[in-house]
Amino acid sequence: MKKITIILCFLLIMVSKSFSATSFEFGIGSGFVFYGDEKTKDLISLVDDTNQIILSGSGSFLFSVAPSVKFALGVDSLFDAHWHGGNYIYLWDYCGFLGVRVYPGFAGLICGVNYCLGRRTDFYNFKNAEEDVNSTKFGNGFSFNLGYDFGFERKGWAPLISAGWRRMPRGGSSDNIISVSVKVSSK
């Protein structure tokens, strides 16, 4: 019984230490999507591209494992809206990710790699047709990020600029998402 108690105390101490080294990060931005599915490209071409907005958002928990290495657990989303008159198509891509962030030693420079699991849901309506909602199958892919942390090695909240590329294979096609965002991180 003593061994089990000692092991449980040790695990409790380790978990509390890891949560004390936890930081948060969230941000908004924009980007561009290269759709791999011909059907999606055809639907987008039915709407005049004069009205378009692309918004991205992300949030993550970061767990320090070393001064220059952090594990990341979070969500990432991109909303691509096209509309003209009564026609519209809204494409919402979302995923959860698990990854690693490394500070390679150049001030606040950050390099990251994430494993992503997600899908895309399309909402569209065209004149003389019913409104429809379709979702892709879940796919898994990777994202690669490069950023700069203006609060590197400081405590408190700090701004962060990040750019990334996420490749999301889904069945017979792959979407490539490029995004740039402004984030706020806590330390």
Side-chain angles (χ1 to χ4, degrees), residues 17-156:
K17 290 262 185 203
S18 70
F19 281 115
S20 67
T22 301
S23 57
F24 308 96
E25 181 178 286
F26 59 92
I28 58 170
S30 188
F32 191 79
V33 183
F34 297 95
Y35 295 103
D37 183 15
E38 288 301 322
K39 180 183 175 190
T40 303
K41 291 178 187 178
D42 291 341
L43 287 173
I44 291 172
S45 69
L46 294 175
V47 180
D48 188 22
D49 282 345
T50 57
N51 299 313
Q52 179 183 14
I53 187 166
I54 300 176
L55 297 173
S56 66
S58 65
S60 56
F61 293 102
L62 304 171
F63 305 95
S64 293
V65 293
S68 61
V69 179
K70 295 182 180 186
F71 284 132
L73 176 67
V75 294
D76 196 6
S77 180
L78 186 123
F79 184 74
D80 182 10
H82 302 259
W83 72 95
H84 185 73
N87 298 331
Y88 65 81
I89 181 166
Y90 306 139
L91 304 119
W92 179 34
D93 188 277
Y94 44 94
C95 74
F97 64 83
L98 178 65
V100 177
R101 307 265 172 86
V102 177
Y103 290 80
F106 301 109
L109 183 67
I110 306 168
C111 300
V113 176
N114 299 321
Y115 169 75
C116 306
L117 176 65
R119 68 192 294 185
R120 190 185 74 229
T121 300
D122 304 339
F123 307 87
Y124 50 88
N125 186 27
F126 300 102
K127 292 179 181 172
N128 304 324
E130 284 189 29
E131 184 175 2
D132 201 3
V133 177
N134 289 323
S135 293
T136 64
K137 293 180 181 179
F138 276 93
N140 53 10
F142 288 91
S143 69
F144 301 95
N145 303 296
L146 189 62
Y148 191 83
D149 184 355
F150 291 96
F152 179 64
E153 294 185 339
R154 291 187 215 143
K155 296 292 182 191

